[in-house]
Amino acid sequence: MGKVDKGVKCMVKGCDNFAERSLSAEQVSKSSIKVEGSARRVYLCHDHYKQWKKETKKMRELEHIAY
Ligand SMILES: [Zn+2]
């Protein structure tokens, strides 16, 4: 995923950190992370990107077990 311009804020509700990564809204909807508005690009800070990665990794592992 692409890097983010300086000065862009994380879009997670209540989070005021600067964004580090951008994801598609679809990717983020697969986690429990809730973002403001309904933009197609979602900007996440370091911490929320880590949370997203952790949650979606768990999901991929569950899918793997299911098949
Ligand atoms: Zn954040």
Side-chain angles (χ1 to χ4, degrees):
M1 277 291 133
K3 287 235 170 169
V4 177
D5 290 338
K6 275 190 178 166
V8 178
K9 290 276 180 84
C10 176
M11 286 169 74
V12 176
K13 282 186 180 179
C15 183
D16 204 33
N17 294 327
F18 285 113
E20 199 171 81
R21 299 282 176 160
S22 74
L23 299 168
S24 72
E26 200 202 332
Q27 286 175 298
V28 174
S29 73
K30 287 172 182 160
S31 72
S32 69
I33 293 170
K34 294 278 177 288
V35 295
E36 306 265 12
S38 54
R40 303 182 74 179
R41 284 262 112 200
V42 176
Y43 295 100
L44 296 179
C45 65
H46 184 75
D47 288 351
H48 280 118
Y49 179 70
K50 246 165 63 182
Q51 185 191 336
W52 175 83
K53 236 169 87 175
K54 214 167 115 185
E55 287 187 13
T56 53
K57 183 174 179 256
K58 201 186 292 172
M59 214 168 287
R60 283 196 297 270
E61 281 170 4
L62 286 176
E63 274 172 18
H64 187 72
I65 291 163
Y67 288 112

